[in-house]
Amino acid sequence: MPLIGRERELAVLASFVTAPEGQALVLRGEAGVGKSALVDHTAGLADRERHALIRVTGVEAESELPFAGLHQCLHTVLDRTAGLAARQRALLDVVFGRGTGEPPSVMALGIAVLDLLSLAGAERPLTLLIDDGHWLDDASAEVCGFVARRSAAGQVKMLIALRTDERSRFDNARLPELPVAPLSDEAAERLLELHRPRLDARARRTVLDHARGNPLALYELPPGPAAPHPGGGMPGSTGLPLPRRLQLLYAARIERLEPGIRAELLRGALDGTAGRERGGDHGTRYRMRGVEEAAASGLLDVDAAGGDFVFRHPLVRSAVVQLATPAQVRAAHAELARVHRADVERYAGHLAAAAVDPDESVAAALEAAAGSATRRGGAAAAVSWLTRAAELSEDPAQRSRRLGDAAYTAGQAALLDEAQRLLHRSEPEPGAAEPLAAVLASAHADFVRSGAVRPAFQRLAAAVERRADGAARTGDETLTRAADALVTMAHYAGDPALWQRTDRILDALGELVHPLTAMYHDASAVARSGVGLRARLEQAFADPANLAPWDLARLGVCASHVDVLNQYRTQLRGAVEREQEAGAVSSVMVLLRMLMLDRMYSGEWDEARRLAQRALELATAHGHVLLAYHARACLGQLAARQGRLDEARELQSAVDAWARPRGVGLLTQITEAIATGAALTEGDFEAAYLYAIGMTPPGSFDRHAHQIAPRALLELAEAAL
């Protein structure tokens, strides 16, 4: 595997090996940063230059044995001692247990070693490579340092690799140093791509965040790393699971600490006191106290800005958690829950991680935390909060409802496979009707993945009708979401029969219909029910903090229908930026389309095209086939208006071929509008005018003429005629 991102270090090492005179150089960096790989590379360079090569690796178990390291350095050349003076041979015999007498001074022994290495390198240059030099015993390190300082006088080259956080007698040797820093972000991404090309985007980001440029971590961290700790939105996480090789980097130092200090580190680790981590934090973090000993051992740093103790590396935090027992972890979470009672998300996460048995109060706290996470752009994290809430529910009905909510939220976060898995967990008891939340999530997935508009509508409508006859109640969020979905599906189908059934269902629900649902429905029938819509819309937008992202997306659709998109451009753009990574990605696709229409109506062609292309890419990446074709239809409209007729007709053909067999009437109407726009561009104003006034192909249902044939086009056609 090539050494990615080490161009500077490789250049220095190449000069080191090829220099005509002897040299000494120290490689210094954190554990796992790649020093050993650089030592291996240097060995290859030295071999190609036909150097004599001696390789030494410090061993912690031998770090207390005097001259154990020096024996490693010299045992392959001891046969050359015959060329030394008798006194020098005697000194070496004493230190290696083959003679008697007092241990020699560093200077006397150092001169003997230097002469021996010079003899070994008389015929060709000699390169001595010492890896993990911090584990060499003190006596050996002092002698090697003495030799290294005098290496320029001969043909001997000495490369010593040391850890930054381990004490060594080499620290005072005053040798030239080459710092080995963590990889840059760009180099780390390249190395991970080369090592694990099939890693999905979320796992890739987590590995990169935890590895922090450490190559060993990039190689060793598991391919499916754990989600962030509670502060990051996921309850009950106990840190990234570390392979033993990574855990051993810090285990010995952690285990040497007193129990009280380890408990304090554990609380800091579980609460995310990781220091220097990417991304913002929600709320305040736990402040570790009385942990100076841990800082002295190289596990912690002091944050320059706030003066708090922070973990030197995310891997330290993970090792602290992994070395704790389950009981210790639960106790730490319980203490942190008391600390964070005022923070709904942190409190719920730690409370849930401390829980063993079902507890309705904890489940309710988690549900509240999920709502908070959703409102701040964390819909993907809210899925885990709701799933854990379901696990801790004491009542089977509450468990089923929460799993259904988790499935719906997963669908809105574009996690359609996760939504399906959650649906399987919420299977009803034999003979019981399938919960409305489960029907809703399943119908939504079928709708966006395959464009199965009519089957999805019929199944969901039947479930809503059953709910209306029995368990419907005011404030029923699942019922509101289902009613919204019915309006959306009827809107896409463009079928009067589906609209009529939707109208009947909403009429039967009466006051149970949420005001936003009523507005969404009325905006879709703007010619019939549009009186006062703009005022209602303005009132709804006045309090965006209490709107779920999917509510905001539907309000954007309403604004489009009554031609006031430009008034809410800032709010919609802000929602896109907030939700696009870990939020309601399905809503982002809709919002991008609304922003595209706003730009298109304003004549901002380039920005409109960019937004529609972004919506298409997002929908395609997440398997939202219906929304991907809708984005293509919008691009076709834009191309027709700009006179790019070949592109417009190509998009028109692709969308129509997919939408017409599935009965997706809205998209087939848009393809007809593309033809209208192309006709106008070509000067065929009569064809455009006939379409615009309603003389459309037989069987089409033009419920949205204001959107498909905007007034400006109609006026243009009339003027031309």
Side-chain angles (χ1 to χ4, degrees), residues 313-326:
H313 197 284
L315 298 178
V316 179
R317 180 175 73 86
S318 296
V320 167
V321 175
Q322 199 158 319
L323 289 168
T325 67

Side-chain angles (χ1 to χ4, degrees), residues 36-302:
S36 295
L38 290 170
V39 170
D40 288 342
H41 176 79
T42 306
L45 292 177
D47 185 62
R48 286 195 289 275
E49 294 292 324
R50 304 187 60 79
H51 289 199
L53 194 62
I54 298 175
R55 297 198 62 169
V56 176
T57 300
V59 180
E60 186 176 10
E62 296 183 0
S63 61
E64 301 299 324
L65 300 177
F67 300 113
L70 190 61
H71 184 267
Q72 271 202 77
C73 292
L74 301 181
H75 80 278
T76 60
V77 295
L78 286 177
D79 58 342
R80 302 292 187 102
T81 56
L84 295 176
R87 175 171 170 72
Q88 290 179 323
R89 289 199 304 272
L91 293 177
L92 292 173
D93 287 342
V94 168
V95 299
F96 293 144
R98 298 186 303 190
T100 59
E102 292 293 321
S105 68
V106 171
M107 178 176 289
L109 183 57
I111 292 172
V113 171
L114 186 61
D115 287 349
L116 178 60
L117 292 175
S118 297
L119 284 173
E123 298 175 1
R124 53 178 176 156
L126 173 68
T127 297
L128 174 59
L129 305 175
I130 303 177
D131 199 3
D132 285 339
H134 44 275
W135 295 134
L136 256 61
D137 58 279
D138 288 350
S140 296
E142 287 184 348
V143 172
C144 287
F146 178 92
V147 172
R149 287 191 294 274
R150 290 157 178 79
S151 58
Q155 292 281 313
V156 177
K157 300 179 188 293
M158 187 182 298
L159 182 70
I160 308 160
L162 304 173
R163 284 188 192 173
T164 53
D165 53 0
E166 292 286 351
R167 185 200 65 81
S168 166
R169 286 298 177 96
F170 285 111
D171 295 344
N172 299 319
R174 300 188 303 280
L175 298 174
E177 292 199 2
L178 174 61
V180 183
L183 295 175
S184 67
D185 291 348
E186 186 271 335
E189 290 182 13
R190 279 196 290 137
L191 179 60
L192 190 60
E193 174 63 28
L194 191 65
H195 180 52
R196 290 199 189 128
R198 294 183 177 84
L199 205 61
D200 67 74
R202 176 178 290 184
R204 180 181 304 280
R205 186 72 266 158
T206 305
V207 169
L208 288 169
D209 285 348
H210 282 77
R212 194 72 60 74
N214 185 295
L216 179 61
L218 290 167
Y219 278 108
E220 294 284 336
L221 286 175
H229 48 80
M234 300 295 218
S237 170
T238 54
L240 193 69
L242 296 183
R244 181 164 179 77
R245 190 177 174 198
L246 284 177
Q247 189 185 122
L248 289 175
L249 295 180
Y250 305 106
R253 277 178 275 173
I254 294 169
E255 290 170 342
R256 283 195 293 265
L257 298 172
E258 296 178 0
I261 297 176
R262 290 185 63 178
E264 190 72 4
L265 292 183
L266 181 59
R267 288 190 285 270
L270 291 172
D271 201 47
T273 311
R276 305 173 186 170
E277 291 191 356
R278 291 185 177 93
D281 292 331
H282 179 62
T284 58
R285 297 290 188 182
Y286 183 79
R287 298 184 66 184
M288 294 181 287
R289 302 179 188 279
V291 289
E292 288 77 8
E293 184 181 342
S297 67
L299 298 170
L300 304 177
D301 283 334
V302 177

Side-chain angles (χ1 to χ4, degrees), residues 443-457 489 492-493 623-627 629 658-665 667:
H444 173 261
D446 291 343
F447 172 57
V448 298
R449 270 186 160 161
S450 62
V453 180
R454 295 172 191 277
F457 177 91
M489 292 173 188
Y492 270 92
H624 282 52
V625 179
L626 175 72
L627 298 184
Y629 274 101
W658 181 86
R660 198 171 293 278
R662 292 169 174 78
V664 187
L667 298 191

Side-chain angles (χ1 to χ4, degrees), residues 596 609 612-613 616 631-640 647 651:
M596 176 268 175
R609 184 179 177 86
Q613 192 63 44
L616 174 59
R632 291 186 183 97
C634 290
L635 284 166
Q637 284 181 290
L638 182 61
E647 180 184 344
L651 288 164

Side-chain angles (χ1 to χ4, degrees), residues 30 525 621:
E30 67 182 30

Side-chain angles (χ1 to χ4, degrees), residues 505-524:
I505 289 172
L506 297 186
D507 288 343
L509 291 172
E511 294 182 355
L512 295 178
V513 176
H514 193 280
L516 292 182
T517 302
M519 187 191 312
Y520 184 47
H521 169 267
D522 293 347
S524 298

Side-chain angles (χ1 to χ4, degrees), residues 103 106 112 158 311 318 344 413 459 489 524 560 676-677 684 707 718:
V106 171
M158 187 182 298
F311 288 102
S318 296
V344 61
R459 185 175 174 220
M489 292 173 188
S524 298
S560 173
T676 303
D684 190 353
Q707 185 179 26
E718 287 177 332

